[in-house]
Amino acid sequence: LAKRAGISVRTLQYYDQKDLLKPTATSEGGRRIYTADDAATLKLILLLKSMGLKLAAIRETLTSDNAQPVLELLLAEQAQRLEHDRDQAVAQLKTVTAVRKSLTGAANLPLKSIQDMDRLMANQRALRQVHLRLVGGGLVMDALEMAGLVYSWLTGNWWVFGGAMLVAVLVAIGLTRHYFLQVAYTCPHCHTTFQPRFWQAFWAGHSPRTRKLTCPHCGQTDFCVETIAKDALNP
């Protein structure tokens, strides 16, 4: 039974000691004799354990007078979670497949040396720092807005909230300008790295790591990959 279930004999014996899965009978020599129903129960135990239930909770559930409706509810919830995970995995697979198809020109950008790898890693670290500064600035904006709102609500002085919003807007403008000065974009067609004009980049459609821009070198409009600007990487 242990071999069929993919567990060790010691684990099966442990379940017996914990009154979780008692054998239907024992032979004259003391060997445990399990039936097909015991095998089905073991499968259920292993399933519930994989869902995060403790052995004591599993034993209590299996021996409860309401075992069937409780199990049906647990399994229905697990099925819903698995279906959600499956849908997410399918969506991610489609995205990965589409991205792979769009990277047909990636072979033109090989990593030929340790220097190339170092440059790539430095680029990633620099971008991470830029993103962290944006997040930090955003938190400062939120704190200013909330503090101004609470103070104005308590005192009735809404000029304070207006001032806080003005400061938050100025912080947002500064962060946006800083961001576009720190990053550049690489064209997926000719692999030219360039910095677009501020308003061109500001209004362009984008994803977390790409922005739809027109390459000044080849004239193609496509989603260009975000990278760190040379001035930011080598100030």
Side-chain angles (χ1 to χ4, degrees):
L1 178 61
K3 183 177 181 180
R4 180 180 298 180
I7 61 176
S8 66
V9 174
R10 185 179 296 275
T11 299
L12 196 59
Q13 293 171 343
Y14 181 72
Y15 290 167
D16 186 356
Q17 295 171 5
K18 294 296 182 179
D19 295 325
L20 198 61
L21 182 66
K22 284 291 184 182
T24 300
T26 54
S27 67
E28 293 182 359
R31 294 177 62 84
R32 297 170 175 81
I33 300 175
Y34 292 98
T35 65
D37 289 340
D38 295 327
T41 301
L42 178 58
K43 288 183 179 180
L44 181 58
I45 291 170
L46 295 175
L47 174 60
L48 295 175
K49 189 171 182 294
S50 70
M51 292 167 55
L53 272 69
K54 302 296 184 182
L55 293 182
I58 296 175
R59 181 176 64 247
E60 185 176 352
T61 300
L62 294 178
T63 58
S64 169
D65 294 337
N66 297 320
Q68 183 172 348
V70 171
L71 287 173
E72 288 179 354
L73 179 60
L74 287 172
L75 295 176
E77 291 179 347
Q78 179 69 358
Q80 188 175 13
R81 283 195 293 269
L82 291 173
E83 289 173 357
H84 178 264
D85 293 343
R86 180 200 61 197
D87 293 341
Q88 280 195 325
V90 170
Q92 290 176 358
L93 179 59
K94 289 181 179 179
T95 301
V96 169
T97 302
V99 171
R100 288 184 63 191
K101 289 181 179 179
S102 70
L103 294 180
T104 53
N108 295 327
L109 294 174
L111 296 176
K112 296 181 179 179
S113 66
I114 295 297
Q115 287 76 15
D116 291 333
M117 182 64 73
D118 288 342
R119 186 167 57 253
L120 178 63
M121 296 302 294
N123 180 78
Q124 295 300 319
R125 287 193 297 268
L127 278 177
R128 191 178 302 113
Q129 291 298 319
V130 172
H131 295 158
L132 287 175
R133 286 195 290 271
L134 287 178
V135 172
L139 292 175
V140 170
M141 289 170 50
D142 291 341
L144 285 172
E145 293 170 0
M146 290 303 300
L149 178 61
V150 171
Y151 181 85
S152 297
W153 179 267
L154 293 176
T155 63
N157 184 1
W158 290 100
W159 286 103
V160 174
F161 178 64
M165 289 296 297
L166 177 60
V167 173
V169 169
L170 293 175
V171 171
I173 293 174
L175 286 173
T176 304
R177 180 173 176 78
H178 170 75
Y179 170 71
F180 285 122
L181 287 174
Q182 296 293 306
V183 300
Y185 295 90
T186 301
C187 173
H189 299 280
C190 66
H191 306 132
T192 297
T193 298
F194 63 96
Q195 282 187 285
R197 294 189 302 275
F198 176 84
W199 290 113
Q200 179 191 5
F202 184 83
W203 293 113
H206 61 277
S207 70
R209 293 299 305 275
T210 64
R211 194 168 293 268
K212 193 170 186 179
L213 300 165
T214 300
C215 175
H217 183 262
C218 67
Q220 294 284 344
T221 299
D222 208 335
F223 281 94
C224 300
V225 179
E226 179 188 67
T227 185
I228 199 71
K230 288 184 178 180
D231 292 342
L233 189 58
N234 299 305

